[in-house]
Amino acid sequence: MTTRARELQAQGINVIAFAAGEPDFNTPSPICEAAKKAIDDGHTKYGPSRGFPALRNAIVEKVARENKFQTDLNQIVVSCGAKHSLYNTFRVLLDPGDEVILLAPYWMTYKDQVLLSGGVPVTVHTDSSNNFSLDVNAVKAAITPKTKAIVVNSPCNPTGTAFTRQEIKELAALAIKHNLWIVSDEIYEHLTYNHEHTSVATLGKEVAERTITILGCSKSYAMTGWRIGFSIAPPEITSAMANFQDQVTSNATSIAQYAAVAALNLNPEIIEGMRSEFEARKDLGLEIIHSIPGVKAADPKGAFYFFIDIREHLGGDCPDDLALAEKLLDQAHIATVPGSVFEADGFLRLSYACSRAELTEGLNRLKGALTS
Ligand SMILES: Cc1ncc(COP(=O)(O)O)c(C=O)c1O
């Protein structure tokens, strides 16, 4: 949808892009300055596959300070984005035929990476009428002797749901009981609204020993193009991930790693500035969405997406969410992502990583299109 939106924009059409999954802010200047300094200081050569010690040390400190668990240099691999960290994880964890539980709606990359790694994705649906909250019994019912891991993504792309500490505890207990790995993608950890983020690995040694935590710079520090993500896992898994990465990309870009050190030590007020702007946009957008007849939307607890239920508007020449998304793009010039790509038919994902003016204009176009 983003590509098609760009094509229309190239034709001079004013398209409001609700499809992109990245902050619209520029990377904060202290991070850019650190990258320039890294070039001037000659940090332009190969480095260790796991990442420079300077960055891994900064990660150890950041995790103790913010995520509230202890880790060590030998538990960290720095990669080319969290997506890469996830791919290392699945390649290392899975043997052919191993099942991985995904909680739908989920970010579609998980499914494809599991398949690319020879695994079998198993979907457990969460309920929109219950704000997509975790149903531990449904997860339990999906466990088989072949289940190897469960993916947790809190705060979640696309729904904006974030799990409570209690929900995560229940899931962790299940993982311990059935000897499962937990892949905890916490890339949106800083972008929460009236919600306190809980890292899975804080729940004690027994949980941490079966958890691979995925973090990164893309969303929290507006650094999507710099491609820095990292994993925190038990040492033997980390060694295997480092060996695998060594044969695929070697290290993540050296200059971006030094920029990431600056990101992890950034003045928290800068991060809070971006978070609070997202929160203001969320509140503004939600008010308009709630005024559209036949559209339901939960109040997101994190990330920067509305996941709206448009099932009442389907039918006729718009039988499904894909048809509606295409029509909205062609006729109202708003780019959205159909829910079916996240295994949630009848929904649309709208990113509010755009200016307040664009948000208001785009949502009013949506309202006009759906009510006309
Ligand atoms: C849930 C989730 N995890 C991971 C990523 C990937 O982040 P990165 O840009 O660091 O690869 C994204 C990006 O959209 C995401 O939404």
Side-chain angles (χ1 to χ4, degrees), residues 21-22 79-86 106-107 109-110 153-158 185-188 214-219 223-225 227-230 303-305 349:
E22 61 182 341
S79 304
C80 308
K83 191 179 249 186
H84 185 197
S85 305
L86 282 160
Y106 56 77
W107 186 49
T109 292
Y110 302 133
N153 174 214
S154 174
C156 173
N157 171 14
D185 179 354
E186 302 178 21
I187 189 82
Y188 293 97
I214 306 291
L215 297 169
C217 294
S218 295
K219 317 285 176 174
M223 288 178 70
T224 44
R227 311 308 302 131
I228 293 289
F230 36 93
F304 40 67
Y305 308 102
R349 191 194 76 174

Side-chain angles (χ1 to χ4, degrees), residues 30-44 255 258:
I31 301 173
C32 301
E33 291 306 321
K36 290 178 200 165
K37 185 170 181 315
I39 296 173
D40 292 340
D41 291 350
H43 293 305
T44 52
I255 299 154
Y258 281 94

